[in-house]
Amino acid sequence: MTAHPLTPLLAPSSVAIFGASNDPTRISGRSLRYYREAGYQGGLYPINPTRDTVQGLRAYPDLASVEGPVDCAVIAVPANLAIESMEACVKKGVRGIVMFTAGFAEIGAEGRAMQERITQIARDNDIRLCGPNCLGLFNMRTGHTATFSSFLEEGPTPSGPLGMVTQSGAFGTHLLALTARRGIAVGMWMSTGNEADVAVADGISFLADDPETVAIACYIEAIKDGKLFAEAVARARANGKPVIAMKVGASVIGTAAAASHTASLAGSDAVYDAAFRQLGVERAKTPEDLVEIAYACTRGRLPKSRRLAVVTMSGGAGVLMADAAEEEGLELAPLAEESQKEVLNWVPFAAPRNPVDVTAQALNDPTILDKGFELLLGKENFPSMVGFFTTWASSPQMAEPLFKSVSEAAARYPDRYFALSAIASPEMQRRYEACGVGLFEDPWRAVSSIGAAVRCAERLATPPFPIPPVPQNLPPVPPGRIAEHEAKRILADAGVPILDERLATNAGQAAAAAAGMGDRLVLKIVSADIPHKTEMGGVMLNVPAAEAGKAYDELVGRVQARAPRAQLDGVLISPMITDGVETILGVQNDPVFGPVVMFGLGGIFVEVLRDVTFRVAPFGVEEARQMIGELRGAAMLEGARGQPPCDIDALATALSKLSVFVAAQKGRFTSIDINPLRVRPKGQGVVALDALILTPSEVSGDDEVAP
Amino acid sequence: MTAHPLTPLLAPSSVAIFGASNDPTRISGRSLRYYREAGYQGGLYPINPTRDTVQGLRAYPDLASVEGPVDCAVIAVPANLAIESMEACVKKGVRGIVMFTAGFAEIGAEGRAMQERITQIARDNDIRLCGPNCLGLFNMRTGHTATFSSFLEEGPTPSGPLGMVTQSGAFGTHLLALTARRGIAVGMWMSTGNEADVAVADGISFLADDPETVAIACYIEAIKDGKLFAEAVARARANGKPVIAMKVGASVIGTAAAASHTASLAGSDAVYDAAFRQLGVERAKTPEDLVEIAYACTRGRLPKSRRLAVVTMSGGAGVLMADAAEEEGLELAPLAEESQKEVLNWVPFAAPRNPVDVTAQALNDPTILDKGFELLLGKENFPSMVGFFTTWASSPQMAEPLFKSVSEAAARYPDRYFALSAIASPEMQRRYEACGVGLFEDPWRAVSSIGAAVRCAERLATPPFPIPPVPQNLPPVPPGRIAEHEAKRILADAGVPILDERLATNAGQAAAAAAGMGDRLVLKIVSADIPHKTEMGGVMLNVPAAEAGKAYDELVGRVQARAPRAQLDGVLISPMITDGVETILGVQNDPVFGPVVMFGLGGIFVEVLRDVTFRVAPFGVEEARQMIGELRGAAMLEGARGQPPCDIDALATALSKLSVFVAAQKGRFTSIDINPLRVRPKGQGVVALDALILTPSEVSGDDEVAP
């Protein structure tokens, strides 16, 4: 197995520090101090031309003076010396650079130019560059502490199962402080700063391969390359590691603040949300959520299914945890009759169903705990259990009996997920954690964290939906204006069914075309000058077949009156379809993720409720089916209000085919709208009744033809 | 001012303890120990016939032997001795009893009978009874500790501004532990157990009057008397105290568990939710939320408006807090141009708008903090400010400079709401809190807590919406089956407009009735035997006026064929209304809150999206307007999709009138449905097109008339 490309950055055998200060409290001195405190065993070379020694280590006047090889360099010099330092690194054969230095893209045009230069130097010389304008990174497996984060000021942090990648050094340091207070050990941490080269995705990718990393937590403001991110998450998933991400910038002001902060174009938050779902990233909404989910995912085991046993000494807490379980989609399967009787034998006034409320009776008879845990994990075979024991975990009377029961049960069933809601001293907390049992003060939080852990486990246990290949020979979207019937023909070739329709250029042709199309017809004007036909009176619905010729003249007359300068190419005639449900499909090019397919129900669902969902193209029918199910109004397609169920199979196929088609277009369209796509009753397929493709070489023609 | 009725329970001058044990660790001994540790200064009389002294105090063989008066008695004896103890209390003139004893309504029929007996004794003798089956209560203002909650095992808790009322003693104890860890002092606490007499509402009412209580937190499983609860919350609101409630049992399993736990019929969670909104209760979803909102509301001041200044040393945290602010409806007003320039003078790379990101520059120049706070609170006059300063609050370099700046700013502007997101030692945390500044580790939580505090402040700053009086002379709903036209007539009298409609009993009358009604008519069968007319073919829509006679015969014939045994009273003829938006009004009798009015939009909104909202009757038009605005589809009424805005004034009036009418009925109906009520374009009012009133003396007649 070849080493990961980020190895020189995150696991180097030797490190040089440019600008290493003798003062261990200064930014330029901290990293060196941290290395020494963390016991880094590799070569460590302070570069400082003004001193013989720095913090007791031999100092080198320049990188060339270092005798042995140097894998990684930390650059903490002012911006005007950064390029010089990089060139020295190139000469020395350094393969990883961590650049703290600020004053690049974040300060404007001049800085941007300088950032492009250092990026180019890195690319040309096969150097991976973290930063600039970052707080660096650490790997506590080796004591590699290329960071000046204040988090290490009070000494090295223990290595551990969580990996963390952050786009904000300051906020990433805050997250380190929060995880440390929660008792989660972060083994590797990387802040990516301006992401001139190394991005969040690279960090995820490295952690995906790191054997000691169990879960990966990310703080994200704006992903630059959606494809790279997707590949990294897929790698983590393949290697059995949940990726938990907090992505900020969902609000109007937040998005603006994020853009100014990261100097990169952020995509829509709704698209991030969809992409995270699609890739299997567990999205955390708040820092608390991120920390608690990371805690739940680093207990050494994950829940095997959604079945959950709740055991409690307070009826109220049982109710609360049942509420939380329902919200999380966890299943509180009731105990077998026989087991319920057993519980009632121990505690006559127990609630024996699930939640199992053993009341405070265990204060008098602690064997109830042993018996209860054994019943739930043994006979009832629950894969997960959460117990509410409030302050018992710290009470003089109950702390040890409770710990004994819990730790023994956890040892007897090492594959089960066991969480407690209890208040304990930090020492007792660590003792439980050493047995693989997580502690949560809030019983709701205990259950919601299990819910997140279950979702993570489910993703890791199932392969991702297959992504269909994008054939090379798909027809390209042509440049220029595309008329409706051309747009539909293109989409039909792509696999989105359309109606039998005929173009008529006079009333006689219209009458002829109508023959055999059914009783009622739709007539639509065809003109590349009129993208929004309805507004210009260019659509006639429900026309009796016998009146097609007359309707042709009326329609053309009406449109000519309103848009005298528009060139009319004729009238499209097609059958009138009224069955099924109206839906809307759209495609936009997201700056982060590329072509993104939108799906929603028509009418009030999209106009009033904004009930739409997204997926990054390309995707398969399984993914499309999930997408459809996410709509609040999904029941409309399943046969609500006495209607027959719709052809969801055909809809999923059309969505997938559309996604494959747009993935092949490489910027040849700016947007695609299929509005409406009618989803007909089951077995009868879908039909696009109208379609609009805009290309980069044209804009909407409304202004030109409006009177 | 007369003393509150609960004074003998919560602030007694003397206390007797039945069954006081000499063992201070036993349930029957703990309360006495707690009294002595808390320094209770009133008369304290252990009742124990087997000993001369108990825990060093003189013991009395019975209550009669106590020389002086006794305000309050704690009863900790077995259930079979409880009545005897109560009778002794009656003789002694005790006015408050706290009964720990279990074995009453929670164990079944026998216990229920015994509970009824003790309740009756209390009622007959003007005694307020807390419990039975409760953990008691405490009032740390006086050291009155009539509880065996383990919370006081480690010594008395300091008195403080939060009052807490809980329906679960065990979970209430957990909440005490959580609030104590958060640094919130609970001055008074009451667990209500079986609520034989004293309910959560009584506790709220007492705390509303208590001068030292600043905010009231509640844990609720099921309210027994909605009216009493409403009065107590109104009292707290009038006295300037926010009520924060966590109510469990929203889920299917949770509701069942709550019912078995409290042995009382819980109303629908959706109705609780509506009632809380209506009364101005801040609902907390989780224990964490309850604790954090209580923390935010006990800082000695509340936010004066939704305008919020965010100041941060991390751009990422600024983005996050902007997201949180948008979700909470807080307004991050941008700083004036001039102020923004000032910020840029101090820190050239700051983000000066709001969030104001001063970057880590304050590490080098702490005066930036003073200048920044002064700018935001002084010149910019923000009523609230939140600052993100991560670990600075505990760092050797920054802890003191930051505290100095913050505490001085808080002192200069004592009416402003000032919160920090920072990680500090418990001691530093207490120092900030002493200045009125709240600390939150999670910046999102800091903002969401401010959001809750703003909502609480807004409620306290505005009087509740006026509740219309319920006149005595409203017509009663008659008993028995009520035909559609009678139901509409009743509702019209109540103030819900109906259409001009006429009853015809033959085709000739139908033709005559149609004259002058408009072009298109609706014909509906009238029969008390057919409550669901449409299903029986009993409705004809869009009938041309000229064909009314013919339609009469067709309609009657159709219904007779399907329901030959139904007695037909004729056909109702009315104009066909097609403009406006279809809505649904309903009324149910909630077991907790009484008549509750439901409102929703028709069609998919109610059938697919379950987009409905509730209010407890009676309520005024302002409340009705809020209710209407809560619907997800509210835009439909405001003129969505090119339609004219609807007559929301008329709708609000109809909702309010309906609520007043049903509030007067006192059980004379079981349900009322107005489906549809058409809300016509602005100025044209609303009309009930169909109505169904069911009364207790009848059930749906479908079964009887179906063939």
Side-chain angles (χ1 to χ4, degrees):
Chain A
M1 187 176 138
T2 57
H4 191 280
L6 256 61
T7 304
L9 260 187
L10 275 157
S13 299
S14 50
V15 181
I17 304 179
F18 283 84
S21 165
N22 195 50
D23 179 348
T25 67
R26 291 188 55 186
I27 283 182
S28 55
R30 279 195 211 164
S31 176
L32 180 57
R33 166 161 64 107
Y34 297 162
Y35 273 104
R36 306 202 66 199
E37 290 173 349
Y40 180 67
Q41 297 293 311
L44 193 54
Y45 311 110
I47 312 296
N48 186 331
T50 68
R51 302 179 60 92
D52 289 341
T53 64
V54 170
Q55 297 185 38
L57 276 187
R58 176 183 163 192
Y60 297 81
D62 50 40
L63 190 59
S65 315
V66 176
E67 295 89 6
V70 174
D71 282 359
C72 176
V74 177
I75 297 186
V77 299
N80 60 339
L81 302 175
I83 287 174
E84 192 179 300
S85 305
M86 275 200 81
E87 282 164 350
C89 289
V90 170
K91 284 205 190 101
K92 184 71 184 170
V94 167
R95 301 289 303 281
I97 293 179
V98 181
M99 192 179 287
F100 299 165
T101 313
F104 291 88
E106 79 279 11
I107 66 158
E110 199 185 329
R112 213 156 26 238
M114 198 149 69
Q115 183 164 316
E116 276 161 26
R117 227 176 121 198
I118 59 170
T119 310
Q120 202 54 52
I121 295 173
R123 296 259 154 91
D124 290 348
N125 296 284
D126 208 9
I127 294 172
R128 298 311 304 262
L129 168 65
C130 177
N133 188 29
C134 74
L135 252 66
L137 50 87
F138 66 69
N139 174 353
M140 298 313 295
R141 323 246 188 263
T142 62
H144 170 49
T145 55
T147 179
F148 62 97
S149 167
S150 61
F151 178 66
L152 296 178
E153 269 192 319
E154 287 165 56
T157 189
S159 186
L162 187 66
M164 192 186 288
V165 194
T166 172
Q167 288 189 320
S168 164
F171 201 73
T173 298
H174 190 72
L175 289 174
L176 283 172
L178 293 181
T179 46
R181 288 166 81 86
R182 188 65 174 101
I184 311 168
V186 176
M188 291 204 198
W189 180 87
M190 181 163 78
S191 71
T192 58
N194 286 8
E195 298 198 346
D197 170 33
V198 166
V200 164
D202 297 292
I204 295 171
S205 167
F206 185 87
L207 292 166
D209 285 6
D210 174 55
E212 290 177 63
T213 296
V214 165
I216 302 165
C218 309
Y219 168 87
I220 293 169
E221 293 173 7
I223 292 169
K224 281 186 181 165
D225 183 336
K227 202 161 177 302
L228 208 65
F229 180 77
E231 286 166 4
V233 171
R235 189 168 183 148
R237 182 170 178 168
N239 291 352
K241 298 176 190 181
V243 176
I244 309 147
M246 184 172 66
K247 188 259 158 194
V248 299
S251 62
V252 175
I253 292 178
T255 306
S260 79
H261 184 230
T262 58
S264 66
L265 190 56
S268 135
D269 190 77
V271 173
Y272 274 99
D273 208 58
F276 284 177
R277 268 199 303 278
Q278 194 170 350
L279 297 170
V281 171
E282 178 70 18
R283 184 169 186 178
K285 184 175 164 187
T286 74
E288 271 172 3
D289 293 345
L290 185 74
V291 170
E292 295 298 332
I293 298 170
Y295 182 82
C297 287
T298 49
R299 296 305 100 209
R301 44 191 112 176
L302 285 176
K304 289 217 181 327
S305 85
R306 294 189 168 262
R307 277 182 73 230
L308 174 68
V310 172
V311 54
T312 175
M313 50 65 70
S314 148
V319 177
L320 181 82
M321 293 192 287
D323 287 353
E326 184 171 288
E327 190 168 302
E328 293 292 331
L330 300 173
E331 187 205 344
L332 299 195
L335 270 57
E337 285 294 329
E338 201 185 329
S339 299
Q340 294 196 29
K341 276 187 199 147
E342 209 171 326
V343 173
L344 290 172
N345 277 341
W346 312 329
V347 188
F349 301 123
R353 206 177 141 82
N354 189 12
V356 179
D357 176 9
V358 295
T359 76
Q361 196 53 33
L363 283 173
N364 298 325
D365 176 11
T367 69
I368 290 170
L369 299 176
D370 289 329
K371 291 185 288 194
F373 298 156
E374 182 57 35
L375 181 74
L376 293 170
L377 298 178
K379 197 167 168 191
E380 290 282 329
N381 199 26
F382 276 95
S384 301
M385 177 160 71
V386 58
F388 177 81
F389 294 107
T390 182
T391 51
W392 287 9
S394 53
S395 87
Q397 182 193 346
M398 286 304 293
E400 289 304 327
L402 180 65
F403 178 73
K404 187 166 178 290
S405 288
V406 170
S407 57
E408 288 175 2
R412 283 199 305 280
Y413 298 97
D415 61 333
R416 309 306 168 82
Y417 196 85
F418 200 161
L420 287 194
S421 174
I423 296 175
S425 65
E427 299 71 42
M428 184 56 96
Q429 181 115 2
R430 297 296 94 83
R431 284 174 67 194
Y432 277 108
E433 288 159 1
C435 308
V437 175
L439 254 66
F440 299 83
E441 292 190 350
D442 180 346
W444 185 289
R445 179 67 79 176
V447 175
S448 66
S449 299
I450 293 172
V454 164
R455 288 191 295 275
C456 290
E458 283 178 346
R459 284 181 205 116
L460 299 178
T462 50
F465 290 135
I467 296 171
V470 178
Q472 291 303 309
N473 58 354
L474 285 175
V477 170
R481 286 200 187 158
I482 300 174
E484 179 195 339
H485 67 291
E486 292 164 344
K488 283 198 287 201
R489 175 48 50 206
I490 292 167
L491 292 168
D493 289 346
V496 180
I498 60 172
L499 281 181
D500 173 27
E501 62 184 13
R502 288 174 221 162
L503 183 67
T505 53
N506 59 49
Q509 284 182 4
M517 267 200 184
D519 290 348
R520 299 276 164 168
L521 306 178
V522 176
L523 274 67
K524 293 189 205 174
I525 206 75
V526 177
S527 166
D529 294 330
I530 304 179
H532 300 292
K533 291 173 290 293
T534 306
E535 287 82 340
M536 303 301 281
V539 179
M540 289 178 82
L541 301 175
N542 220 18
V543 175
E547 296 171 21
K550 196 180 93 192
Y552 177 96
D553 289 333
E554 189 185 331
L555 183 67
V556 169
R558 196 157 80 184
V559 172
Q560 278 174 336
R562 294 209 201 172
R565 289 188 294 155
Q567 189 195 314
L568 307 186
D569 300 331
V571 169
L572 268 188
I573 300 172
S574 59
M576 173 93 187
I577 303 289
T578 54
D579 58 5
V581 170
E582 237 182 51
T583 66
I584 298 178
L585 278 59
V587 188
Q588 298 284 339
N589 289 298
D590 185 82
V592 175
F593 293 99
V596 169
V597 177
M598 183 212 80
F599 172 65
L601 298 174
I604 55 156
F605 284 99
V606 64
E607 290 172 40
V608 176
L609 300 167
R610 315 230 171 279
D611 183 20
V612 296
T613 175
F614 300 87
R615 281 299 182 279
V616 177
F619 53 84
V621 287
E622 300 85 352
E623 190 72 52
R625 233 183 283 271
Q626 292 250 327
M627 182 184 188
I628 297 163
E630 276 168 18
L631 290 185
R632 279 183 279 155
M636 290 293 289
L637 294 166
E638 291 150 9
R641 312 185 75 207
Q643 297 300 308
C646 291
D647 201 333
I648 293 177
D649 288 344
L651 173 60
T653 302
L655 281 163
S656 171
K657 295 247 185 195
L658 177 65
S659 80
V660 171
F661 172 71
V662 298
Q665 294 306 323
K666 303 190 193 309
R668 281 189 286 254
F669 67 91
T670 49
S671 72
I672 297 177
D673 282 287
I674 304 175
N675 181 9
L677 177 97
R678 219 162 234 287
V679 186
R680 305 187 68 187
K682 203 172 171 115
Q684 297 181 47
V686 299
V687 275
L689 299 185
D690 200 351
L692 179 63
I693 300 179
L694 295 180
T695 63
S697 49
E698 58 124 30
V699 285
S700 161
D702 275 0
D703 295 342
E704 293 172 43
V705 297
Chain B
M1 186 176 139
T2 56
H4 192 280
L6 256 60
T7 305
L9 262 185
L10 277 157
S13 300
S14 49
V15 180
I17 304 178
F18 282 83
S21 165
N22 194 49
D23 181 346
T25 67
R26 291 187 55 187
I27 283 182
S28 54
R30 280 195 210 163
S31 176
L32 181 58
R33 166 160 65 105
Y34 295 164
Y35 272 104
R36 305 203 67 197
E37 289 173 351
Y40 179 67
Q41 297 294 311
L44 194 55
Y45 311 110
I47 311 295
N48 186 331
T50 68
R51 304 181 58 94
D52 290 340
T53 63
V54 171
Q55 296 185 39
L57 275 188
R58 176 182 162 191
Y60 296 81
D62 49 40
L63 189 61
S65 316
V66 175
E67 294 87 6
V70 174
D71 282 0
C72 176
V74 177
I75 297 185
V77 298
N80 60 338
L81 302 176
I83 287 174
E84 193 179 301
S85 306
M86 277 200 78
E87 282 164 352
C89 289
V90 170
K91 282 205 191 103
K92 183 71 182 170
V94 168
R95 300 289 304 280
I97 293 178
V98 180
M99 192 177 289
F100 298 165
T101 314
F104 291 88
E106 80 279 10
I107 66 158
E110 200 185 328
R112 211 154 30 237
M114 200 149 69
Q115 183 165 318
E116 275 162 27
R117 229 178 119 194
I118 59 169
T119 311
Q120 201 54 50
I121 294 172
R123 296 260 154 90
D124 290 347
N125 296 284
D126 208 10
I127 294 172
R128 297 312 303 261
L129 168 65
C130 178
N133 189 30
C134 75
L135 253 65
L137 50 86
F138 66 68
N139 174 353
M140 298 316 294
R141 322 251 188 259
T142 62
H144 170 49
T145 55
T147 180
F148 64 96
S149 167
S150 61
F151 178 65
L152 297 178
E153 269 192 318
E154 286 166 55
T157 189
S159 188
L162 187 66
M164 191 185 287
V165 194
T166 172
Q167 288 191 320
S168 164
F171 200 72
T173 297
H174 191 72
L175 290 173
L176 283 172
L178 293 180
T179 46
R181 288 166 82 85
R182 188 64 174 101
I184 311 169
V186 176
M188 291 205 200
W189 181 84
M190 180 162 79
S191 70
T192 57
N194 286 7
E195 298 199 346
D197 169 34
V198 166
V200 164
D202 297 292
I204 295 172
S205 167
F206 185 86
L207 293 165
D209 284 7
D210 173 56
E212 290 176 64
T213 296
V214 164
I216 302 165
C218 309
Y219 168 86
I220 293 170
E221 294 175 7
I223 292 169
K224 281 186 181 164
D225 183 337
K227 201 160 176 302
L228 207 66
F229 181 76
E231 285 166 3
V233 171
R235 189 168 183 148
R237 182 169 178 169
N239 292 352
K241 298 175 191 184
V243 176
I244 310 146
M246 184 173 66
K247 189 258 156 193
V248 299
S251 63
V252 175
I253 292 176
T255 305
S260 80
H261 184 231
T262 59
S264 66
L265 191 57
S268 135
D269 191 76
V271 172
Y272 274 100
D273 207 59
F276 285 176
R277 270 199 302 277
Q278 194 170 349
L279 297 170
V281 171
E282 177 71 18
R283 184 170 185 177
K285 185 175 163 186
T286 74
E288 271 173 2
D289 293 345
L290 184 75
V291 170
E292 294 298 332
I293 297 169
Y295 182 82
C297 287
T298 49
R299 296 305 100 210
R301 45 192 112 176
L302 286 176
K304 288 218 183 324
S305 85
R306 294 189 168 262
R307 279 181 72 229
L308 174 68
V310 172
V311 54
T312 174
M313 50 66 70
S314 150
V319 177
L320 181 82
M321 293 192 287
D323 287 353
E326 182 171 288
E327 191 169 300
E328 293 291 332
L330 300 173
E331 188 206 344
L332 299 196
L335 270 57
E337 284 295 330
E338 201 185 328
S339 300
Q340 294 195 31
K341 276 185 198 146
E342 209 171 326
V343 172
L344 290 172
N345 277 342
W346 311 329
V347 187
F349 300 123
R353 206 179 140 82
N354 189 11
V356 179
D357 177 8
V358 296
T359 77
Q361 196 53 34
L363 284 172
N364 298 325
D365 176 10
T367 69
I368 290 170
L369 299 176
D370 288 329
K371 290 185 287 195
F373 298 157
E374 182 57 36
L375 181 74
L376 293 170
L377 298 178
K379 197 167 169 187
E380 290 281 331
N381 198 27
F382 276 97
S384 302
M385 177 159 70
V386 58
F388 177 81
F389 294 107
T390 183
T391 52
W392 287 9
S394 52
S395 86
Q397 182 192 345
M398 285 304 291
E400 290 305 328
L402 180 64
F403 177 74
K404 186 165 178 293
S405 288
V406 171
S407 57
E408 287 175 1
R412 282 199 306 281
Y413 297 96
D415 61 333
R416 309 306 170 82
Y417 196 85
F418 200 161
L420 286 194
S421 175
I423 296 175
S425 65
E427 300 69 43
M428 185 56 96
Q429 180 115 1
R430 297 296 94 82
R431 284 173 67 193
Y432 277 108
E433 288 161 0
C435 309
V437 176
L439 253 69
F440 299 82
E441 292 190 351
D442 179 346
W444 185 288
R445 179 66 80 176
V447 175
S448 65
S449 298
I450 293 173
V454 163
R455 289 191 294 276
C456 290
E458 283 178 345
R459 284 180 205 117
L460 299 177
T462 51
F465 290 136
I467 297 172
V470 179
Q472 292 302 309
N473 59 354
L474 285 174
V477 170
R481 288 201 186 156
I482 300 174
E484 180 196 337
H485 67 291
E486 292 164 344
K488 282 199 286 200
R489 176 49 50 206
I490 291 166
L491 293 168
D493 290 346
V496 180
I498 61 173
L499 282 180
D500 173 28
E501 61 183 15
R502 288 175 221 163
L503 184 67
T505 54
N506 59 49
Q509 283 183 2
M517 267 200 186
D519 290 348
R520 297 278 163 166
L521 306 178
V522 177
L523 274 68
K524 290 190 206 173
I525 206 75
V526 178
S527 166
D529 294 330
I530 305 179
H532 300 293
K533 290 173 291 293
T534 307
E535 286 82 340
M536 303 302 281
V539 179
M540 290 178 83
L541 301 175
N542 221 16
V543 175
E547 297 170 19
K550 196 181 94 193
Y552 177 97
D553 288 334
E554 190 185 332
L555 183 67
V556 169
R558 197 157 80 184
V559 173
Q560 278 173 338
R562 295 209 202 171
R565 286 188 295 154
Q567 191 196 315
L568 308 186
D569 300 329
V571 169
L572 269 188
I573 302 172
S574 58
M576 174 95 187
I577 303 289
T578 54
D579 58 5
V581 170
E582 238 182 50
T583 66
I584 297 178
L585 278 59
V587 188
Q588 297 284 339
N589 288 298
D590 185 81
V592 175
F593 293 100
V596 169
V597 177
M598 183 212 82
F599 173 66
L601 298 172
I604 55 156
F605 283 98
V606 64
E607 291 170 39
V608 176
L609 300 167
R610 315 230 170 280
D611 183 18
V612 295
T613 175
F614 299 87
R615 282 299 184 278
V616 178
F619 54 84
V621 289
E622 300 86 351
E623 190 72 51
R625 235 184 282 271
Q626 291 251 327
M627 183 184 187
I628 297 163
E630 276 168 18
L631 289 184
R632 278 183 279 155
M636 290 293 288
L637 294 166
E638 290 150 10
R641 314 184 74 207
Q643 297 300 308
C646 293
D647 200 333
I648 292 177
D649 289 343
L651 173 60
T653 302
L655 281 162
S656 170
K657 295 248 185 195
L658 177 64
S659 80
V660 171
F661 173 71
V662 298
Q665 294 306 323
K666 303 191 192 310
R668 280 188 288 251
F669 68 90
T670 48
S671 74
I672 296 176
D673 282 288
I674 304 175
N675 181 9
L677 178 98
R678 220 163 232 287
V679 187
R680 306 184 68 186
K682 204 173 170 115
Q684 296 181 47
V686 299
V687 275
L689 298 185
D690 199 351
L692 178 63
I693 301 179
L694 295 179
T695 63
S697 49
E698 59 124 32
V699 285
S700 158
D702 276 2
D703 295 341
E704 293 172 44
V705 298

